[in-house]
Amino acid sequence: MKKEKEEGIEEGQILSSAADIAATVQHTMACHIVKRTHRAILFCKQRDLLPQNNAVLVASGGVASNFYVRRALEILTNATQCTLLCPPPRLCTDNGIMIAWNGIERLRAGLGILHDIEGIRYEPKCPLGVDISKEVGEAAIKVPQLKIEI
């Protein structure tokens, strides 16, 4: 409201600084994603859950369809000796396509192929692994500052 008054525009009109505000939000969001992902990579390397070099970070879905976020993740993977793997943006907007792409990659790698589905229990809201957030917090990993300039 203060900016509307300063610019002399009516409620509902677009502020002259709208693009700057959107860019700031996008940059802040990208930096947050990078910092959280950086901490995860450092934690996993510290626990030997990832190789020290040539680990692969896969970004998909809406995250990977945003080129600004994708570029920020490239800066991170370059700094951590990792490789960033993203499907083409046209395949990043539909979860069904993402699941199919994951299946294709797993099939190519010969991973997790079920030949007998007898006895498989399906859960519509199944947890995604074990919650290790407490361990990550206790590790007190200091995340080095990365310069995210895009």
Side-chain angles (χ1 to χ4, degrees):
M1 289 177 8
K2 180 181 174 184
K3 290 298 283 179
E4 287 175 344
K5 190 173 181 177
E6 285 175 11
E7 293 184 19
I9 62 173
E10 295 179 22
E11 185 178 330
Q13 289 183 315
I14 297 174
L15 295 171
S16 65
S17 58
D20 292 335
I21 293 168
T24 300
V25 169
Q26 178 172 255
H27 180 75
T28 301
M29 177 220 29
C31 289
H32 178 75
I33 290 170
V34 165
K35 186 172 183 176
R36 298 290 296 248
T37 306
H38 196 174
R39 179 177 287 115
I41 290 170
L42 295 173
F43 177 83
C44 289
K45 285 184 175 188
Q46 182 183 79
R47 300 289 170 101
D48 291 324
L49 299 171
L50 283 176
Q52 294 302 312
N53 295 307
N54 301 320
V56 176
L57 173 66
V58 176
S60 59
V63 171
S65 64
N66 181 305
F67 287 107
Y68 194 93
V69 173
R70 191 184 284 221
R71 181 65 189 118
L73 289 171
E74 286 174 1
I75 292 168
L76 169 62
T77 53
N78 289 338
T80 56
Q81 292 82 45
C82 294
T83 299
L84 178 63
L85 179 61
C86 299
R90 73 184 193 293
L91 301 179
C92 292
T93 58
D94 183 301
N95 283 340
I97 292 173
M98 291 308 308
I99 292 166
W101 179 74
N102 182 328
I104 289 168
E105 293 300 322
R106 292 181 64 82
L107 180 63
R108 286 181 180 162
L111 300 172
I113 308 303
L114 293 176
H115 298 285
D116 181 15
I117 59 169
E118 273 306 306
I120 298 292
R121 191 179 86 227
Y122 299 93
E123 295 180 34
K125 293 189 178 184
C126 186
L128 295 173
V130 178
D131 182 1
I132 61 168
S133 56
K134 186 177 178 184
E135 289 178 58
V136 174
E138 289 170 353
I141 295 170
K142 300 292 182 210
V143 180
Q145 185 81 21
L146 289 179
K147 195 168 199 163
I148 307 295
E149 290 184 355
I150 301 172

